[in-house]
Amino acid sequence: MPRLILFNKPHGVLSQFSDEGSGRPTLADYIDIPGIYPAGRLDRDSEGLLLLTDNGKHQARIADPRYKKPKTYLVQVEGLPDDAALAALQNGITLKDGPTLPAQARRIPPPDIWARVPPIRYRKSVPDSWIELTITEGRNRQVRRMTAHIGHPTLRLVRWRIGEWSLDGLDLGGWRDA
C-alpha cells in the first residue's frame, strides 16, 4: 500500500526537499520521512495542500492531468468579480497556452484560515474578495493566470482540496498520513 502524506505548505516554502545553498525553506524543513516525493507542485508563493507519496505510480496518478483530479482553491482576488467574470471562469477562458476547461467558480466569504506570513498588501482604494475555484487541469500558474484574465489578479492562493483529500483539520506547516 503506497504511503500518502497530506502537507499544509506555508507561503514561501519550495515544493522540493533541497535547494542547496539558497537558504530558502523546503519540504525538508517540515517533513523528515525518507523516500517520499511531491505528487505535483505548488508554487513558492502559494499555500495549502501538497500531497507526497513513496510510490511513483501513485505519484503519477495524482499529478497527471489525464486523470483530472479536481483541485479546489480559495483565491483572494483584487476587486469584486461580478457574475459575468465568474461565468467566464465557469465556461472556460482562453489563455496564451490555449483554452482552459470549464471550472467551478463562486464567490465566498473570507475563509477562516491562518494569517499569511508575510501578509498580503492591502490597498485602501481597491477592495478585495474571495472566490472558490475548482479546476481539473494543472497548468503552470493556471489559477493566477485565469483570475488575471478576468481582471481580478490573485492576491493570495490556497489550495484546499485535491480529489478526495483536503486540508480540513490540518494546521499550517503540519502533515498527516491520508
Side-chain angles (χ1 to χ4, degrees):
M1 183 78 175
R3 186 168 189 186
L4 184 66
I5 303 291
L6 282 65
F7 174 56
N8 188 350
K9 186 188 93 59
H11 178 271
V13 174
L14 297 175
S15 293
Q16 58 198 44
F17 279 95
S18 65
D19 190 37
E20 298 304 319
S22 77
R24 297 183 298 187
T26 68
L27 298 177
D29 295 311
Y30 294 88
I31 304 170
D32 185 19
I33 302 172
I36 61 168
Y37 305 94
R41 299 188 64 78
L42 195 56
D43 293 335
R44 186 169 73 116
D45 54 351
S46 299
E47 310 161 67
L49 183 60
L50 185 65
L51 301 177
L52 301 101
T53 184
D54 60 358
N55 181 283
K57 287 183 181 179
H58 197 61
Q59 180 184 27
R61 190 155 188 95
I62 292 167
D64 195 314
R66 289 180 301 193
Y67 297 108
K68 301 205 183 320
K69 288 248 184 246
K71 298 170 197 75
T72 299
Y73 297 85
L74 308 180
V75 190
Q76 187 176 18
V77 296
E78 192 172 275
L80 306 169
D82 60 15
D83 291 343
L86 294 176
L89 297 172
Q90 293 163 351
N91 293 324
I93 56 176
T94 301
L95 301 173
K96 288 182 181 176
D97 57 352
T100 66
L101 293 174
Q104 295 175 16
R106 66 185 182 105
R107 284 181 291 274
I108 59 171
D112 184 18
I113 59 175
W114 57 90
R116 194 185 92 169
V117 178
I120 67 154
R121 179 176 59 109
Y122 285 100
R123 294 181 8 196
K124 290 179 183 177
S125 61
V126 180
D128 61 77
S129 59
W130 287 84
I131 60 174
E132 181 183 87
L133 186 65
T134 301
I135 61 173
T136 55
E137 301 171 281
R139 298 187 210 175
N140 187 40
R141 300 181 72 82
Q142 180 176 346
V143 170
R144 292 177 188 280
R145 293 188 297 138
M146 289 173 73
T147 64
H149 182 84
I150 62 163
H152 298 281
T154 294
L155 301 171
R156 185 176 181 192
L157 182 62
V158 179
R159 184 162 58 196
W160 192 261
R161 178 179 299 279
I162 300 172
E164 63 269 27
W165 303 289
S166 84
L167 283 181
D168 289 332
L170 191 57
D171 291 333
L172 183 65
W175 63 269
R176 69 170 177 256
D177 284 284

